[in-house]
Amino acid sequence: MTSKVVVSARQVQKHFGANVVLRGIDLDVSDGEVLCLVGPSGSGKTSFLRCINHLEKIDAGELIVNGHHVGYRRHGNKLHELREKEIARARADIGMVFQSFNLFPHMTVMENITAGPVTVKNERLAEVKQRGHELLARVGLADRAGAYPAQLSGGQKQRIAIARALAMRPTLMLFDEPTSALDPEMVGEVLAVMKDLARDGMTMVVVTHEMGFAREVADQIVFMDGGVVVESGPPTAVLANPQHDRTKAFLAKVL
Amino acid sequence: MKMKMKPESSPVPTSSQASEPLDLVPVRHWERWVAAFVVVLAVALAIGQLATNPRFQFGVVGQYLFSSPIITGVGLTLELTFGAMVIGVVLGTLLAVARMSPNPILSGISAVYIWFFRGTPVLVQLIFWYNLAAIFPHITLGVPFGGPHFASMQANSLVTPLAAGLLGLGLNEAAYMAEIVRAGIVSVDHGQTEAAQSLGMSRAQTLRKVVLPQAMRVIIPPTGNETISMLKNTSLVSVLAIAELLYSAEIIYTRTYQTIPLLIVASIWYLAMTTVLSIGQYFIERKFGRGYRRESSGPRMPWTRRPAPALSGTAELAEVK
């Protein structure tokens, strides 16, 4: 596989005050790859994911997304911090799905989907709506365009959140525990949409506790604990034949 | 009730007991009837006084209610209210955003503004603006620190009594509105900001499209309160000899000595205007409540509130004991 690298992390560190959450993360995500970040809570999975679209700022190391340093521009040997507008522009190419959906409650489903492309990319509303209907059909909610988020179930909300992110035509999708806030019977419908995306060749970084999904869909599984990557590789290696004691202990609890 | 039930109820109900229906005796709220009777009696006495006491001079009230100085006063009161509220809302929003900005100078200045204008009586501020010419006789537009001047005016011709009234009420209102807007912005979940940012929205776009529309739900009710409060506070500018509603009434009754009827005239107009404002507030609230109302509950007028459930609840609890 010689496809280009979308996300490249080298010794990424992050701390909140005295609390060190990332102690040097190294990983690569290739174009079209699905990477699942797994590990116990507090291991730094979500923090790392949020660093990728600069919701959190890294404190040391190098994080390159779509060929650019996240939050910085390189001039010779200097990294210049980006202005807020430039950070926003970089984020427009990265879709993010949150654990708590974060749909805009004052907008209808269709308004949620069109808000990004119309506001950020100045696209024509009619065209975005057209695309919005296609996306709604894709996530199986073609008839809910006029509904407000409060009228939807958790699983439906998360599928709309995915459609909203896709409306920006992202090159990379980030999922932060997308099924953790859902009732068990709704997990399946969201995972089905994500599987469909993965089949379509979308590059995805997924923080998840759904080991079944990770085994089935992931090209690469990264097991994190204590702010470091303990073990990584294809599901057949990490899940079926873990090398590290910490990985074994974690998998014994969740599988 | 519970204590009585115990000996009667057997641990396992037999079929014969189940077939015999038991009579339900609802709680009799006799104390509610007593309270209602007392209140109705008091209201009836008050209305009786109002109707029979000739010293209210309702004839005079009717004579002046639509007289031209009063109508002009009503117009001026409305102008002052809306003008001052517009200044207050716009400046207050700017102050709220500045207060929360990462720039310590901006947030500091905003905090000092709010501290100063909330901390001094609005009446003092009004008189201060009215007497601005005493401190700055000329107001000059030009380059500061000895640069060229483009225009210069007498402060007294620029700051008319009406302008002083608008400035005094508006700048004071901005300090209160800043805190109301800030409360509204803070009430919006941070996840909303993150979702907007992850779509690539700038800080300004996030504020305008996502945060403020949701903050409006929290901002509108106290802003309606402020508007109604402002409507009545405009009567303070009567000290600047502006003939708004109250001062217009005063002008008439100092001449005719019909103080009470003219105060009734003013009150009727204030009541009418606050009623209209309350109705307006209801419709604005409904607009910004989009997506929040449960489908089952229909629209409810804000001025017909349901009786507080806590009261009847405690009454029933007391009965059970």
Side-chain angles (χ1 to χ4, degrees):
Chain A
M1 248 170 73
T2 54
S3 58
K4 73 169 178 141
V5 175
V6 180
V7 180
S8 167
R10 293 288 171 269
Q11 284 304 303
V12 169
Q13 295 179 29
K14 170 77 197 167
H15 52 76
F16 296 106
N19 181 22
V20 183
V21 287
L22 300 177
R23 299 169 185 274
I25 302 292
D26 290 291
L27 59 79
D28 287 302
V29 187
S30 312
D31 191 24
E33 190 181 27
V34 177
L35 183 146
C36 283
L37 282 170
V38 301
S41 60
S43 59
K45 315 177 297 281
T46 291
S47 295
F48 178 71
L49 192 79
R50 290 162 60 84
C51 285
I52 294 176
N53 71 349
H54 206 252
L55 284 179
E56 304 292 353
K57 198 169 156 182
I58 67 171
D59 294 309
E62 206 175 52
L63 182 56
I64 297 174
V65 175
N66 290 329
H68 301 286
H69 284 265
V70 174
Y72 299 93
R73 192 191 306 104
R74 189 170 175 166
H75 273 306
N77 279 332
K78 282 183 182 165
L79 285 180
H80 295 262
E81 204 171 345
L82 291 181
R83 302 200 143 266
E84 189 230 323
K85 283 249 166 70
E86 298 166 303
I87 293 169
R89 202 170 305 143
R91 283 192 185 123
D93 294 330
I94 306 170
M96 175 120 182
V97 175
F98 297 87
Q99 180 179 354
S100 52
F101 327 126
N102 292 348
L103 289 178
F104 305 134
H106 59 301
M107 299 183 188
T108 62
V109 163
M110 184 53 84
E111 286 166 346
N112 265 280
I113 291 172
T114 57
V118 171
T119 311
V120 176
K121 292 183 163 177
N122 289 318
E123 288 187 56
R124 293 211 4 248
L125 181 63
E127 285 168 23
V128 186
K129 269 192 176 170
Q130 178 69 37
R131 194 156 83 234
H133 283 298
E134 289 163 19
L135 285 168
L136 283 178
R138 184 168 175 185
V139 300
L141 292 167
D143 55 335
R144 303 300 271 153
Y148 282 97
Q151 300 162 339
L152 303 174
S153 72
Q156 290 174 329
K157 280 183 200 169
Q158 197 59 298
R159 285 187 279 158
I160 298 298
I162 295 172
R164 174 175 72 175
L166 290 175
M168 292 293 287
R169 301 187 201 269
T171 55
L172 167 67
M173 284 286 285
L174 308 176
F175 293 85
D176 182 12
E177 304 196 19
T179 58
S180 297
L182 296 176
D183 290 340
E185 77 266 28
M186 291 171 181
V187 171
E189 61 192 67
V190 172
L191 292 182
V193 170
M194 291 169 63
K195 282 176 196 165
D196 175 55
L197 261 181
R199 260 197 304 277
D200 231 37
M202 175 63 76
T203 313
M204 293 160 61
V205 179
V206 186
V207 173
T208 187
H209 293 291
E210 295 291 330
M211 292 302 150
F213 171 83
R215 182 186 293 122
E216 189 183 338
V217 181
D219 299 301
Q220 193 185 170
I221 289 184
V222 171
F223 173 73
M224 284 176 70
D225 191 13
V228 292
V229 174
V230 175
E231 198 167 342
S232 68
T236 46
V238 179
L239 293 185
N241 187 20
Q243 299 300 306
H244 209 285
D245 285 343
R246 279 195 277 178
T247 321
K248 284 176 191 164
F250 175 74
L251 291 176
K253 275 185 223 159
V254 297
L255 284 181
Chain B
M1 279 286 276
K2 273 184 185 167
M3 296 302 284
K4 267 189 187 173
M5 289 291 281
K6 263 197 175 169
E8 285 172 6
S9 64
S10 55
V12 183
T14 60
S15 57
S16 69
Q17 272 175 324
S19 65
E20 238 173 86
L22 297 168
D23 281 341
L24 270 175
V25 184
V27 176
R28 308 259 182 237
H29 294 286
W30 59 268
E31 75 284 356
R32 291 185 188 172
W33 286 100
V34 173
F37 177 74
V38 171
V39 172
V40 166
L41 192 68
V43 170
L45 284 172
I47 291 176
Q49 268 299 306
L50 211 60
T52 55
N53 189 333
R55 273 167 276 188
F56 280 112
Q57 295 178 282
F58 283 109
V60 180
V61 171
Q63 181 192 333
Y64 281 109
L65 193 57
F66 296 102
S67 69
S68 86
I70 293 292
I71 296 294
T72 316
V74 167
L76 209 52
T77 289
L78 285 174
E79 263 175 54
L80 278 164
T81 305
F82 285 107
M85 281 313 289
V86 167
I87 294 173
V89 168
V90 172
L91 187 59
T93 307
L94 291 175
L95 282 167
V97 174
R99 185 93 173 77
M100 291 187 292
S101 101
N103 186 333
I105 305 289
L106 279 184
S107 80
I109 286 178
S110 173
V112 168
Y113 181 100
I114 293 166
W115 167 76
F116 182 81
F117 281 88
R118 278 202 310 190
T120 50
V122 65
L123 191 56
V124 172
Q125 291 170 32
L126 280 168
I127 300 171
F128 174 85
W129 289 112
Y130 186 64
N131 292 304
L132 193 68
I135 318 169
F136 303 107
H138 297 279
I139 292 172
T140 305
L141 185 70
V143 180
F145 309 116
H149 295 170
F150 305 125
S152 182
M153 279 186 94
Q154 290 275 320
N156 266 340
S157 58
L158 194 66
V159 186
T160 60
L162 189 64
L166 274 174
L167 272 175
L169 293 173
L171 297 187
N172 183 262
E173 185 57 37
Y176 288 91
M177 282 308 301
E179 290 296 274
I180 291 173
V181 172
R182 192 168 68 92
I185 291 175
V186 168
S187 76
V188 178
D189 179 44
H190 191 62
Q192 294 289 311
T193 304
E194 290 190 344
Q197 284 179 336
S198 71
L199 286 173
M201 289 192 196
S202 66
R203 205 196 299 272
Q205 285 169 333
T206 303
L207 192 67
R208 211 171 55 237
K209 301 269 173 180
V210 175
V211 175
L212 275 182
Q214 296 182 58
M216 288 305 266
R217 279 178 64 239
V218 175
I219 293 173
I220 298 240
T223 304
N225 230 7
E226 289 292 310
T227 311
I228 285 168
S229 182
M230 175 63 78
L231 184 84
K232 293 169 297 171
N233 280 342
T234 55
S235 60
L236 287 173
V237 306
S238 59
V239 298
L240 311 185
I242 297 173
E244 44 67 59
L245 178 53
L246 183 66
Y247 194 56
S248 304
E250 274 180 48
I251 291 170
I252 298 170
Y253 73 63
T254 46
R255 184 164 37 85
T256 64
Y257 298 104
Q258 292 160 322
T259 310
I260 297 297
L262 275 146
L263 288 180
I264 292 175
V265 167
S267 300
I268 288 173
W269 276 108
Y270 281 121
L271 276 172
M273 288 188 281
T274 50
T275 306
V276 172
L277 287 177
S278 304
I279 294 170
Q281 180 184 343
Y282 164 73
F283 283 104
I284 296 171
E285 266 179 35
R286 206 168 63 158
K287 178 176 183 286
F288 284 101
R290 281 191 319 157
Y292 293 94
R293 278 190 307 276
R294 264 174 274 146
E295 282 165 300
S296 56
S297 71
R300 189 155 58 87
M301 300 280 162
W303 53 86
T304 59
R305 300 208 187 279
R306 282 178 201 146
L311 265 176
S312 56
T314 45
E316 270 151 24
L317 270 177
E319 289 292 323
V320 172
K321 276 177 194 164

